[in-house]
Amino acid sequence: MDKLLKYNYLTNKKYINFLLEHPFDEGYTLLSHILNAQHIWNERIVSKVPEISPWQVLEPSTWESINTTNYNQSMDIIVGVDLSKVISYTNSQNALFTNSIKDIMHHVVNHSSYHRGQIASKATQLGLKPPATDYILFARSDW
């Protein structure tokens, strides 16, 4: 799990740098959502109330620090914990659910990849070349 979270962190960094160099509104919205969602999931796991809403658009100057904080918090959560531990939480519609920490962390990474793909698609439509961020490139240490 730590390797997946590191991949997510480093890939977010690539997209932060990309969007700072090639800004567009949809990219800002989606990257903010990626960062917000990981914060929200981290807070749910530790039974805290999230400080931000899922679609709140963040200032680009805060992206890097939020990404780092999210990564550190996620890593703190998984260290020394049984990842099969099931927690209860309420979603943004106030419905109660239970999932394992492992499933939640997998969701965080998958959710981020999905929305980074949306950013890449929009960037391509705008004539930009988004960064290559396939997991296998990371696994090979090609970046």
Side-chain angles (χ1 to χ4, degrees):
M1 183 57 60
D2 57 331
K3 189 172 182 179
L4 282 174
L5 290 170
K6 185 174 183 181
Y7 161 75
N8 194 60
Y9 166 71
L10 293 174
T11 305
N12 283 345
K13 282 183 70 154
K14 283 183 176 263
Y15 271 86
I16 288 167
N17 292 333
F18 174 76
L19 286 170
L20 290 174
E21 190 174 326
H22 308 286
F24 58 95
D25 288 344
E26 191 173 342
Y28 278 29
T29 299
L30 289 166
L31 186 67
S32 292
H33 178 64
I34 290 166
L35 298 173
N36 294 343
Q38 186 170 2
H39 167 78
I40 289 166
W41 282 110
N42 283 342
E43 296 295 278
R44 286 175 179 162
I45 291 169
V46 298
S47 301
K48 290 185 179 177
V49 177
E51 299 170 8
I52 52 181
S53 62
W55 288 101
Q56 180 179 335
V57 178
L58 304 169
E59 288 296 320
S61 62
T62 66
W63 290 345
E64 185 63 39
S65 66
I66 292 170
N67 187 44
T68 299
T69 298
N70 283 345
Y71 171 68
N72 289 334
Q73 288 176 334
S74 293
M75 292 301 291
D76 286 347
I77 287 167
I78 69 164
V79 171
V81 171
D82 178 4
L83 295 179
S84 65
K85 177 182 176 185
V86 174
I87 64 155
S88 297
Y89 59 91
T90 55
N91 69 2
S92 56
Q93 288 78 40
N94 215 27
L96 182 64
F97 293 95
T98 58
N99 289 99
S100 71
I101 293 172
K102 181 178 180 179
D103 285 343
I104 290 169
M105 289 301 179
H106 272 281
H107 170 72
V108 166
V109 174
N110 192 53
H111 176 265
S112 298
S113 293
Y114 172 77
H115 289 301
R116 284 190 301 264
Q118 289 179 310
I119 297 169
S121 178
K122 182 63 176 181
T124 301
Q125 291 171 11
L126 294 172
L128 303 169
K129 185 177 180 191
T133 56
D134 290 345
Y135 178 79
I136 199 65
L137 298 175
F138 167 77
R140 290 187 210 134
S141 297
D142 287 351
W143 51 281

